[in-house]
Amino acid sequence: MPLYNGNIKSKLPKVGTTIFAIMSGLATEVGAINLSQGFPGFDVSPELINLVDKYMKKGLNQYAPMPGVPILRNRLAEKMEKLYSIQYNPETEITITAGGTQALFAAITAFIHEGDEVIIFEPCYDSYVPAIELAGGIPIHVHLNPPTYQIDWSEVKKLINHKTKMIMINTPQNPTGTILNANDLIQLEKLTSGSDIIILSDEVYEHIIFDGHEHQSVARFPKLAERSLIVYSFGKTFHATGWKAGYCIGPENLMKEFRKVHQFMVFSVNTPLQHALAEYLENESNYLVLPTFYQEKRDYFQQLIKGSAFKILPCSGSYFQLLDYSCITDEKDTEYAIRLTKEHSVASIPVSVFYNTPIDHKLLRFCFAKENDQLEKAAEYLHKIKP
Ligand SMILES: Cc1ncc(COP(=O)(O)O)c(C=O)c1O
């Protein structure tokens, strides 16, 4: 096919092929263990698959209602009340989305106008900045630093002005594996009190949290909940990232605007999946087991890595472990990640790519949501690398 002959004015001139595609492609090419992309290496529960099958065979295969099937929204309202002691109206305050990324995109598109500023904390999930920029907004980057990646709220306060429309938070956090504590949310509440700022809270890893910590959802803080849209992902929770199913929760007047965008982005989401998820959610142990399940994975991976030349950073949530390779080489993290894949057969993601202007702390992100034999093999290869 000959190339398009006209002038192309890119809306995202800085965006190229993502590092995730590059690292996964390289891992396949050289036959490396792929701990780069953030997807679980284990199967979806057969029970959940059978439920999808059941609802497909029952004939529930046409468009779902725009905000999602009522029974699923009811289940989610019950879940929010049980976990975070807050009542959301399933009719008006919960919308089923095609995954967390679509929910984030719809929320940003609905509220960000030309010139609005959005405060984001970096390193961060890679969809935030393009979504803000496509909406005409201006991302205001707050850099967080290893090993704790703690937010300095006095710094945030200095960045807030009349153009600040939104603050995005993410806990547990990708890529750092850190979590926000109650004090962080109290600070956020104080900073936004009396303002028109909307909080977009990315909580897709709400159930992947360790060491007895409780997930600090904005939903636990009534004053924050009043100004927040919260994003969740069934993909993350039920090892089904390929299903692209999630949801967004927030007060009715925010949700009304969210739905205006959502209905023209996707209109509605996979019907049989929604019915299956509603039934599967009836048994709360299907998600309450996750902290223990993933903590065992984290502990196992850390134990396997101990004694190697890589330094383990603290990981309190998500399924990502950061490893510091500064004892081994001072190569740039992007270069070392490629060499590690090619020469040592382990693929990871360099953390600098999660910053708008790359900051290289000599850290790589490894996804430990994989079968133990994969983790064992990766650790065996990493142990062979000497300082
Ligand atoms: C922080 C964060 N938010 C959102 C998402 C997207 O979730 P989904 O796969 O449901 O679109 C991801 C996926 O990696 C993520 O890490």
Side-chain angles (χ1 to χ4, degrees):
M1 165 74 74
L3 291 181
Y4 169 68
N5 205 11
N7 211 1
I8 297 175
K9 192 173 171 202
S10 175
K11 285 197 151 187
L12 294 170
K14 286 185 281 178
V15 172
T17 310
T18 73
I19 187 78
F20 306 96
I22 293 169
M23 295 309 295
S24 275
L26 188 59
T28 312
E29 191 186 314
V30 302
I33 313 271
N34 190 1
L35 304 190
S36 63
Q37 248 178 326
F39 61 86
F42 8 86
D43 284 338
V44 174
S45 138
E47 185 193 340
L48 182 52
I49 289 181
N50 286 339
L51 287 171
V52 177
D53 186 55
K54 171 175 123 182
Y55 287 107
M56 281 184 168
K57 287 182 177 146
K58 240 178 154 180
L60 294 166
N61 296 304
Q62 307 308 328
Y63 293 130
M66 183 272 282
V69 301
I71 189 164
L72 178 57
R73 286 184 279 136
N74 290 341
R75 283 291 100 74
L76 294 170
E78 286 159 19
K79 179 174 186 268
M80 291 302 286
E81 183 159 14
K82 211 178 287 167
L83 293 181
Y84 306 125
S85 310
I86 183 167
Q87 286 183 341
Y88 281 100
N89 182 341
E91 270 296 301
T92 53
E93 297 178 329
I94 299 178
T95 301
I96 310 303
T97 63
T101 312
Q102 188 245 313
L104 291 166
F105 201 93
I108 291 166
T109 306
F111 294 102
I112 299 307
H113 295 254
E114 195 71 34
D116 285 345
E117 294 187 356
V118 181
I119 294 179
I120 55 169
F121 300 97
E122 288 187 334
C124 65
Y125 181 54
D126 64 340
S127 82
Y128 296 177
V129 169
I132 295 165
E133 290 181 342
L134 283 173
I138 302 166
I140 303 295
H141 311 271
V142 179
H143 291 157
L144 306 181
N145 293 310
T148 60
Y149 291 99
Q150 257 179 356
I151 296 175
D152 177 350
W153 291 103
S154 62
E155 193 191 333
V156 181
K157 187 173 179 186
K158 286 186 214 147
L159 296 172
I160 294 178
N161 62 60
H162 67 283
K163 285 192 271 180
T164 312
K165 186 73 220 173
M166 183 179 272
I167 299 178
M168 293 179 69
I169 57 171
N170 174 210
T171 184
Q173 217 256 7
N174 174 14
T176 64
T178 54
I179 54 174
L180 296 180
N181 59 35
N183 187 46
D184 286 310
L185 295 210
I186 290 165
Q187 296 299 322
L188 180 61
E189 187 177 307
K190 273 194 202 149
L191 280 188
T192 51
S193 163
S195 77
D196 285 341
I197 296 171
I198 293 167
I199 310 292
L200 181 52
S201 187
D202 181 343
E203 304 185 13
V204 299
Y205 299 103
E206 70 176 321
H207 297 301
I208 310 182
I209 186 159
F210 314 130
D211 307 317
H213 289 297
E214 280 193 324
H215 170 57
Q216 295 300 327
S217 171
V218 288
R220 287 185 193 272
F221 298 80
K223 287 283 161 214
L224 274 182
E226 280 172 16
R227 61 171 73 248
S228 294
L229 284 166
I230 319 176
V231 169
Y232 296 103
S233 168
F234 293 115
K236 300 294 180 187
T237 299
F238 295 131
H239 317 321
T241 56
W243 289 6
K244 294 303 293 185
Y247 51 105
C248 185
I249 295 191
E252 180 172 348
N253 52 350
L254 295 185
M255 191 49 68
K256 198 170 153 202
E257 294 302 314
F258 177 93
R259 286 180 179 176
K260 287 183 190 173
V261 175
H262 170 80
Q263 72 176 331
F264 295 117
M265 272 175 98
V266 291
F267 182 69
S268 67
V269 174
N270 192 310
T271 308
L273 275 192
Q274 291 192 55
H275 285 280
L277 287 162
E279 192 170 332
Y280 196 61
L281 280 166
E282 280 173 17
N283 179 359
E284 61 179 23
S285 69
N286 285 331
Y287 50 86
L288 294 182
V289 294
L290 286 183
T292 310
F293 173 78
Y294 275 113
Q295 185 169 325
E296 278 171 18
K297 285 272 166 211
R298 179 206 62 177
D299 290 350
Y300 190 51
F301 187 55
Q302 289 192 349
Q303 182 205 321
L304 289 168
I305 296 300
K306 264 187 203 141
S308 77
F310 292 86
K311 198 172 132 213
I312 300 166
L313 267 69
C315 167
S316 302
S318 82
Y319 42 52
F320 300 113
Q321 175 66 59
L322 298 190
L323 297 180
D324 176 332
Y325 65 88
S326 59
C327 282
I328 300 168
T329 172
D330 59 7
E331 275 170 272
K332 267 166 66 174
D333 65 354
T334 41
E335 285 164 15
Y336 187 56
I338 289 174
R339 194 161 72 79
L340 191 65
T341 312
K342 284 186 177 164
E343 294 179 14
H344 301 280
S345 295
V346 185
S348 59
I349 299 288
V351 175
S352 68
V353 304
F354 295 94
Y355 291 93
N356 188 48
T357 308
I359 301 181
D360 181 8
H361 291 289
K362 312 290 174 217
L363 294 170
L364 300 175
R365 188 199 78 173
F366 295 80
C367 174
F368 56 79
K370 306 290 170 189
E371 294 290 4
N372 285 354
D373 64 327
Q374 295 287 294
L375 300 179
E376 285 157 14
K377 238 185 246 163
E380 184 192 323
Y381 297 155
L382 295 179
H383 268 274
K384 289 190 182 143
I385 303 167
K386 299 298 168 204

